[in-house]
Amino acid sequence: QVQLVESGGGLVQAGGSLRLSCAASGSIFSINAMGWYRQAPGKQRDLVATITSGGSTNYADSVKGRFTISRDNAKNTVYLQMNSLKPEDTAVYYCNALGLLDPEIEFDGWGQGTQVTVSS
């Protein structure tokens, strides 16, 4: 079983910055990819950014140049540095991790979500 715990959300003015963190724990054999998704009220959950164990990153077009994803493999932790925040970035942000509980059992885990609100 895997637990993902997010932190770092909050209220910020447009143009400000926030840093989200997500730590994975449990009987983890390995984590391949970690990422952040977000869901605004009345909308579907969308990808924000992902990062592989090797450091390859992928970003949604809407956040490129403003958000940076990073991870600490030793701590099973992923971060999302969000700069130049806009009101349209307001959403619940969810952490995701894909990996193995042992060499043959895959997992796809989600955090409980953290609210990010950007005021204009």
Side-chain angles (χ1 to χ4, degrees), residues 31-58:
I31 298 179
N32 299 326
M34 301 187 79
W36 291 95
Y37 293 72
R38 66 186 181 187
Q39 187 168 18
K43 295 187 177 182
Q44 67 180 18
R45 188 174 299 186
D46 292 326
L47 177 146
V48 176
T50 60
I51 185 168
T52 67
S53 58
S56 296
T57 58
N58 180 49

PDB file of all heavy atoms in Angstrom, residues 31-58:
ATOM      1  N   ILE A  31       9.707   3.731  -7.666  1.00  0.00           N
ATOM      2  CA  ILE A  31       8.765   4.693  -8.262  1.00  0.00           C
ATOM      3  C   ILE A  31       9.310   5.101  -9.618  1.00  0.00           C
ATOM      4  O   ILE A  31      10.453   5.542  -9.722  1.00  0.00           O
ATOM      5  CB  ILE A  31       8.565   5.930  -7.384  1.00  0.00           C
ATOM      6  CG1 ILE A  31       7.968   5.529  -6.036  1.00  0.00           C
ATOM      7  CG2 ILE A  31       7.642   6.923  -8.088  1.00  0.00           C
ATOM      8  CD1 ILE A  31       7.754   6.698  -5.096  1.00  0.00           C
ATOM      9  N   ASN A  32       8.513   4.934 -10.640  1.00  0.00           N
ATOM     10  CA  ASN A  32       8.929   5.298 -11.989  1.00  0.00           C
ATOM     11  C   ASN A  32       8.640   6.771 -12.245  1.00  0.00           C
ATOM     12  O   ASN A  32       9.524   7.590 -12.305  1.00  0.00           O
ATOM     13  CB  ASN A  32       8.252   4.397 -13.007  1.00  0.00           C
ATOM     14  CG  ASN A  32       8.626   2.941 -12.806  1.00  0.00           C
ATOM     15  OD1 ASN A  32       9.748   2.615 -12.418  1.00  0.00           O
ATOM     16  ND2 ASN A  32       7.683   2.050 -13.036  1.00  0.00           N
ATOM     17  N   ALA A  33       7.393   7.109 -12.378  1.00  0.00           N
ATOM     18  CA  ALA A  33       7.028   8.490 -12.659  1.00  0.00           C
ATOM     19  C   ALA A  33       6.239   9.089 -11.502  1.00  0.00           C
ATOM     20  O   ALA A  33       5.485   8.394 -10.825  1.00  0.00           O
ATOM     21  CB  ALA A  33       6.187   8.569 -13.928  1.00  0.00           C
ATOM     22  N   MET A  34       6.444  10.363 -11.276  1.00  0.00           N
ATOM     23  CA  MET A  34       5.642  11.134 -10.319  1.00  0.00           C
ATOM     24  C   MET A  34       5.137  12.369 -11.041  1.00  0.00           C
ATOM     25  O   MET A  34       5.761  12.841 -11.997  1.00  0.00           O
ATOM     26  CB  MET A  34       6.455  11.524  -9.091  1.00  0.00           C
ATOM     27  CG  MET A  34       7.022  10.351  -8.331  1.00  0.00           C
ATOM     28  SD  MET A  34       7.808  10.805  -6.774  1.00  0.00           S
ATOM     29  CE  MET A  34       6.356  11.022  -5.713  1.00  0.00           C
ATOM     30  N   GLY A  35       4.011  12.865 -10.581  1.00  0.00           N
ATOM     31  CA  GLY A  35       3.471  14.012 -11.293  1.00  0.00           C
ATOM     32  C   GLY A  35       2.432  14.764 -10.497  1.00  0.00           C
ATOM     33  O   GLY A  35       2.060  14.366  -9.392  1.00  0.00           O
ATOM     34  N   TRP A  36       2.017  15.861 -11.085  1.00  0.00           N
ATOM     35  CA  TRP A  36       0.975  16.713 -10.508  1.00  0.00           C
ATOM     36  C   TRP A  36      -0.143  16.896 -11.528  1.00  0.00           C
ATOM     37  O   TRP A  36       0.113  17.095 -12.721  1.00  0.00           O
ATOM     38  CB  TRP A  36       1.557  18.078 -10.142  1.00  0.00           C
ATOM     39  CG  TRP A  36       2.515  18.038  -9.004  1.00  0.00           C
ATOM     40  CD1 TRP A  36       3.873  17.938  -9.065  1.00  0.00           C
ATOM     41  CD2 TRP A  36       2.183  18.075  -7.609  1.00  0.00           C
ATOM     42  NE1 TRP A  36       4.411  17.910  -7.814  1.00  0.00           N
ATOM     43  CE2 TRP A  36       3.390  18.000  -6.889  1.00  0.00           C
ATOM     44  CE3 TRP A  36       0.986  18.176  -6.893  1.00  0.00           C
ATOM     45  CZ2 TRP A  36       3.435  18.021  -5.495  1.00  0.00           C
ATOM     46  CZ3 TRP A  36       1.029  18.203  -5.517  1.00  0.00           C
ATOM     47  CH2 TRP A  36       2.247  18.117  -4.827  1.00  0.00           C
ATOM     48  N   TYR A  37      -1.355  16.824 -11.019  1.00  0.00           N
ATOM     49  CA  TYR A  37      -2.546  17.054 -11.814  1.00  0.00           C
ATOM     50  C   TYR A  37      -3.383  18.086 -11.062  1.00  0.00           C
ATOM     51  O   TYR A  37      -3.186  18.289  -9.861  1.00  0.00           O
ATOM     52  CB  TYR A  37      -3.342  15.768 -12.000  1.00  0.00           C
ATOM     53  CG  TYR A  37      -2.631  14.733 -12.850  1.00  0.00           C
ATOM     54  CD1 TYR A  37      -1.528  14.043 -12.356  1.00  0.00           C
ATOM     55  CD2 TYR A  37      -3.045  14.474 -14.144  1.00  0.00           C
ATOM     56  CE1 TYR A  37      -0.861  13.113 -13.135  1.00  0.00           C
ATOM     57  CE2 TYR A  37      -2.390  13.534 -14.937  1.00  0.00           C
ATOM     58  CZ  TYR A  37      -1.297  12.864 -14.420  1.00  0.00           C
ATOM     59  OH  TYR A  37      -0.633  11.948 -15.206  1.00  0.00           O
ATOM     60  N   ARG A  38      -4.302  18.720 -11.755  1.00  0.00           N
ATOM     61  CA  ARG A  38      -5.167  19.675 -11.080  1.00  0.00           C
ATOM     62  C   ARG A  38      -6.589  19.598 -11.611  1.00  0.00           C
ATOM     63  O   ARG A  38      -6.806  19.222 -12.757  1.00  0.00           O
ATOM     64  CB  ARG A  38      -4.635  21.099 -11.222  1.00  0.00           C
ATOM     65  CG  ARG A  38      -4.640  21.660 -12.643  1.00  0.00           C
ATOM     66  CD  ARG A  38      -3.937  23.027 -12.667  1.00  0.00           C
ATOM     67  NE  ARG A  38      -3.940  23.626 -14.003  1.00  0.00           N
ATOM     68  CZ  ARG A  38      -3.280  24.743 -14.316  1.00  0.00           C
ATOM     69  NH1 ARG A  38      -2.570  25.381 -13.392  1.00  0.00           N
ATOM     70  NH2 ARG A  38      -3.332  25.219 -15.540  1.00  0.00           N
ATOM     71  N   GLN A  39      -7.518  19.964 -10.730  1.00  0.00           N
ATOM     72  CA  GLN A  39      -8.926  19.921 -11.086  1.00  0.00           C
ATOM     73  C   GLN A  39      -9.616  21.164 -10.557  1.00  0.00           C
ATOM     74  O   GLN A  39      -9.670  21.380  -9.346  1.00  0.00           O
ATOM     75  CB  GLN A  39      -9.594  18.670 -10.526  1.00  0.00           C
ATOM     76  CG  GLN A  39     -11.014  18.466 -10.992  1.00  0.00           C
ATOM     77  CD  GLN A  39     -11.534  17.079 -10.658  1.00  0.00           C
ATOM     78  OE1 GLN A  39     -10.982  16.376  -9.805  1.00  0.00           O
ATOM     79  NE2 GLN A  39     -12.572  16.650 -11.347  1.00  0.00           N
ATOM     80  N   ALA A  40     -10.103  21.970 -11.480  1.00  0.00           N
ATOM     81  CA  ALA A  40     -10.866  23.156 -11.115  1.00  0.00           C
ATOM     82  C   ALA A  40     -12.338  22.775 -10.974  1.00  0.00           C
ATOM     83  O   ALA A  40     -12.778  21.765 -11.541  1.00  0.00           O
ATOM     84  CB  ALA A  40     -10.692  24.235 -12.181  1.00  0.00           C
ATOM     85  N   PRO A  41     -13.124  23.552 -10.249  1.00  0.00           N
ATOM     86  CA  PRO A  41     -14.546  23.234 -10.062  1.00  0.00           C
ATOM     87  C   PRO A  41     -15.267  23.068 -11.395  1.00  0.00           C
ATOM     88  O   PRO A  41     -15.149  23.914 -12.283  1.00  0.00           O
ATOM     89  CB  PRO A  41     -15.072  24.443  -9.290  1.00  0.00           C
ATOM     90  CG  PRO A  41     -13.885  24.969  -8.565  1.00  0.00           C
ATOM     91  CD  PRO A  41     -12.724  24.747  -9.482  1.00  0.00           C
ATOM     92  N   GLY A  42     -15.982  21.964 -11.533  1.00  0.00           N
ATOM     93  CA  GLY A  42     -16.748  21.715 -12.740  1.00  0.00           C
ATOM     94  C   GLY A  42     -15.950  21.254 -13.937  1.00  0.00           C
ATOM     95  O   GLY A  42     -16.496  21.123 -15.038  1.00  0.00           O
ATOM     96  N   LYS A  43     -14.667  21.016 -13.730  1.00  0.00           N
ATOM     97  CA  LYS A  43     -13.820  20.598 -14.855  1.00  0.00           C
ATOM     98  C   LYS A  43     -13.171  19.258 -14.573  1.00  0.00           C
ATOM     99  O   LYS A  43     -13.155  18.778 -13.445  1.00  0.00           O
ATOM    100  CB  LYS A  43     -12.746  21.662 -15.128  1.00  0.00           C
ATOM    101  CG  LYS A  43     -13.313  22.997 -15.591  1.00  0.00           C
ATOM    102  CD  LYS A  43     -12.216  23.951 -16.004  1.00  0.00           C
ATOM    103  CE  LYS A  43     -12.791  25.253 -16.537  1.00  0.00           C
ATOM    104  NZ  LYS A  43     -11.710  26.184 -16.986  1.00  0.00           N
ATOM    105  N   GLN A  44     -12.610  18.640 -15.596  1.00  0.00           N
ATOM    106  CA  GLN A  44     -11.927  17.363 -15.426  1.00  0.00           C
ATOM    107  C   GLN A  44     -10.548  17.578 -14.829  1.00  0.00           C
ATOM    108  O   GLN A  44     -10.024  18.697 -14.821  1.00  0.00           O
ATOM    109  CB  GLN A  44     -11.811  16.655 -16.775  1.00  0.00           C
ATOM    110  CG  GLN A  44     -10.891  17.369 -17.766  1.00  0.00           C
ATOM    111  CD  GLN A  44     -10.813  16.636 -19.099  1.00  0.00           C
ATOM    112  OE1 GLN A  44     -11.640  15.800 -19.435  1.00  0.00           O
ATOM    113  NE2 GLN A  44      -9.778  16.940 -19.879  1.00  0.00           N
ATOM    114  N   ARG A  45      -9.989  16.493 -14.325  1.00  0.00           N
ATOM    115  CA  ARG A  45      -8.637  16.544 -13.790  1.00  0.00           C
ATOM    116  C   ARG A  45      -7.646  16.526 -14.954  1.00  0.00           C
ATOM    117  O   ARG A  45      -7.687  15.639 -15.806  1.00  0.00           O
ATOM    118  CB  ARG A  45      -8.389  15.350 -12.867  1.00  0.00           C
ATOM    119  CG  ARG A  45      -7.075  15.416 -12.111  1.00  0.00           C
ATOM    120  CD  ARG A  45      -6.949  14.279 -11.110  1.00  0.00           C
ATOM    121  NE  ARG A  45      -8.003  14.320 -10.101  1.00  0.00           N
ATOM    122  CZ  ARG A  45      -8.028  13.496  -9.045  1.00  0.00           C
ATOM    123  NH1 ARG A  45      -7.077  12.595  -8.878  1.00  0.00           N
ATOM    124  NH2 ARG A  45      -9.030  13.576  -8.180  1.00  0.00           N
ATOM    125  N   ASP A  46      -6.746  17.484 -14.967  1.00  0.00           N
ATOM    126  CA  ASP A  46      -5.798  17.627 -16.062  1.00  0.00           C
ATOM    127  C   ASP A  46      -4.354  17.505 -15.586  1.00  0.00           C
ATOM    128  O   ASP A  46      -4.028  17.874 -14.458  1.00  0.00           O
ATOM    129  CB  ASP A  46      -5.955  19.002 -16.745  1.00  0.00           C
ATOM    130  CG  ASP A  46      -7.259  19.149 -17.493  1.00  0.00           C
ATOM    131  OD1 ASP A  46      -7.741  18.142 -18.048  1.00  0.00           O
ATOM    132  OD2 ASP A  46      -7.798  20.268 -17.519  1.00  0.00           O
ATOM    133  N   LEU A  47      -3.511  17.036 -16.474  1.00  0.00           N
ATOM    134  CA  LEU A  47      -2.086  16.937 -16.174  1.00  0.00           C
ATOM    135  C   LEU A  47      -1.471  18.327 -16.069  1.00  0.00           C
ATOM    136  O   LEU A  47      -1.782  19.218 -16.869  1.00  0.00           O
ATOM    137  CB  LEU A  47      -1.382  16.138 -17.268  1.00  0.00           C
ATOM    138  CG  LEU A  47       0.132  15.973 -17.164  1.00  0.00           C
ATOM    139  CD1 LEU A  47       0.537  14.602 -17.705  1.00  0.00           C
ATOM    140  CD2 LEU A  47       0.878  17.047 -17.922  1.00  0.00           C
ATOM    141  N   VAL A  48      -0.609  18.493 -15.072  1.00  0.00           N
ATOM    142  CA  VAL A  48       0.166  19.728 -14.936  1.00  0.00           C
ATOM    143  C   VAL A  48       1.612  19.458 -15.341  1.00  0.00           C
ATOM    144  O   VAL A  48       2.160  20.134 -16.207  1.00  0.00           O
ATOM    145  CB  VAL A  48       0.115  20.264 -13.503  1.00  0.00           C
ATOM    146  CG1 VAL A  48       1.014  21.496 -13.358  1.00  0.00           C
ATOM    147  CG2 VAL A  48      -1.318  20.592 -13.092  1.00  0.00           C
ATOM    148  N   ALA A  49       2.218  18.455 -14.709  1.00  0.00           N
ATOM    149  CA  ALA A  49       3.614  18.135 -14.996  1.00  0.00           C
ATOM    150  C   ALA A  49       3.929  16.741 -14.471  1.00  0.00           C
ATOM    151  O   ALA A  49       3.346  16.299 -13.482  1.00  0.00           O
ATOM    152  CB  ALA A  49       4.558  19.151 -14.368  1.00  0.00           C
ATOM    153  N   THR A  50       4.860  16.070 -15.159  1.00  0.00           N
ATOM    154  CA  THR A  50       5.328  14.771 -14.698  1.00  0.00           C
ATOM    155  C   THR A  50       6.847  14.726 -14.778  1.00  0.00           C
ATOM    156  O   THR A  50       7.469  15.496 -15.528  1.00  0.00           O
ATOM    157  CB  THR A  50       4.761  13.619 -15.543  1.00  0.00           C
ATOM    158  OG1 THR A  50       5.174  13.787 -16.908  1.00  0.00           O
ATOM    159  CG2 THR A  50       3.244  13.573 -15.461  1.00  0.00           C
ATOM    160  N   ILE A  51       7.421  13.799 -14.011  1.00  0.00           N
ATOM    161  CA  ILE A  51       8.861  13.620 -14.021  1.00  0.00           C
ATOM    162  C   ILE A  51       9.171  12.147 -13.805  1.00  0.00           C
ATOM    163  O   ILE A  51       8.570  11.500 -12.955  1.00  0.00           O
ATOM    164  CB  ILE A  51       9.555  14.504 -12.957  1.00  0.00           C
ATOM    165  CG1 ILE A  51      11.073  14.396 -13.048  1.00  0.00           C
ATOM    166  CG2 ILE A  51       9.046  14.194 -11.551  1.00  0.00           C
ATOM    167  CD1 ILE A  51      11.806  15.462 -12.236  1.00  0.00           C
ATOM    168  N   THR A  52      10.100  11.609 -14.586  1.00  0.00           N
ATOM    169  CA  THR A  52      10.481  10.203 -14.439  1.00  0.00           C
ATOM    170  C   THR A  52      11.600  10.073 -13.412  1.00  0.00           C
ATOM    171  O   THR A  52      12.183  11.070 -12.965  1.00  0.00           O
ATOM    172  CB  THR A  52      10.956   9.647 -15.783  1.00  0.00           C
ATOM    173  OG1 THR A  52      12.188  10.293 -16.137  1.00  0.00           O
ATOM    174  CG2 THR A  52       9.926   9.882 -16.874  1.00  0.00           C
ATOM    175  N   SER A  53      11.917   8.837 -13.079  1.00  0.00           N
ATOM    176  CA  SER A  53      13.006   8.599 -12.137  1.00  0.00           C
ATOM    177  C   SER A  53      14.336   9.088 -12.695  1.00  0.00           C
ATOM    178  O   SER A  53      15.245   9.432 -11.941  1.00  0.00           O
ATOM    179  CB  SER A  53      13.094   7.113 -11.795  1.00  0.00           C
ATOM    180  OG  SER A  53      13.277   6.348 -12.967  1.00  0.00           O
ATOM    181  N   GLY A  54      14.439   9.159 -14.006  1.00  0.00           N
ATOM    182  CA  GLY A  54      15.661   9.652 -14.636  1.00  0.00           C
ATOM    183  C   GLY A  54      15.704  11.155 -14.802  1.00  0.00           C
ATOM    184  O   GLY A  54      16.723  11.699 -15.261  1.00  0.00           O
ATOM    185  N   GLY A  55      14.606  11.827 -14.456  1.00  0.00           N
ATOM    186  CA  GLY A  55      14.588  13.285 -14.505  1.00  0.00           C
ATOM    187  C   GLY A  55      13.949  13.884 -15.739  1.00  0.00           C
ATOM    188  O   GLY A  55      13.926  15.117 -15.884  1.00  0.00           O
ATOM    189  N   SER A  56      13.418  13.072 -16.627  1.00  0.00           N
ATOM    190  CA  SER A  56      12.731  13.613 -17.804  1.00  0.00           C
ATOM    191  C   SER A  56      11.408  14.228 -17.378  1.00  0.00           C
ATOM    192  O   SER A  56      10.663  13.628 -16.600  1.00  0.00           O
ATOM    193  CB  SER A  56      12.486  12.511 -18.825  1.00  0.00           C
ATOM    194  OG  SER A  56      13.707  11.999 -19.319  1.00  0.00           O
ATOM    195  N   THR A  57      11.127  15.408 -17.903  1.00  0.00           N
ATOM    196  CA  THR A  57       9.941  16.143 -17.481  1.00  0.00           C
ATOM    197  C   THR A  57       8.991  16.394 -18.650  1.00  0.00           C
ATOM    198  O   THR A  57       9.388  16.402 -19.821  1.00  0.00           O
ATOM    199  CB  THR A  57      10.317  17.490 -16.852  1.00  0.00           C
ATOM    200  OG1 THR A  57      11.064  18.261 -17.810  1.00  0.00           O
ATOM    201  CG2 THR A  57      11.143  17.297 -15.599  1.00  0.00           C
ATOM    202  N   ASN A  58       7.735  16.603 -18.295  1.00  0.00           N
ATOM    203  CA  ASN A  58       6.706  16.918 -19.273  1.00  0.00           C
ATOM    204  C   ASN A  58       5.758  17.915 -18.620  1.00  0.00           C
ATOM    205  O   ASN A  58       5.396  17.744 -17.445  1.00  0.00           O
ATOM    206  CB  ASN A  58       5.934  15.655 -19.671  1.00  0.00           C
ATOM    207  CG  ASN A  58       4.852  15.941 -20.688  1.00  0.00           C
ATOM    208  OD1 ASN A  58       5.086  16.595 -21.689  1.00  0.00           O
ATOM    209  ND2 ASN A  58       3.647  15.455 -20.436  1.00  0.00           N
TER     210      ASN A  58
END
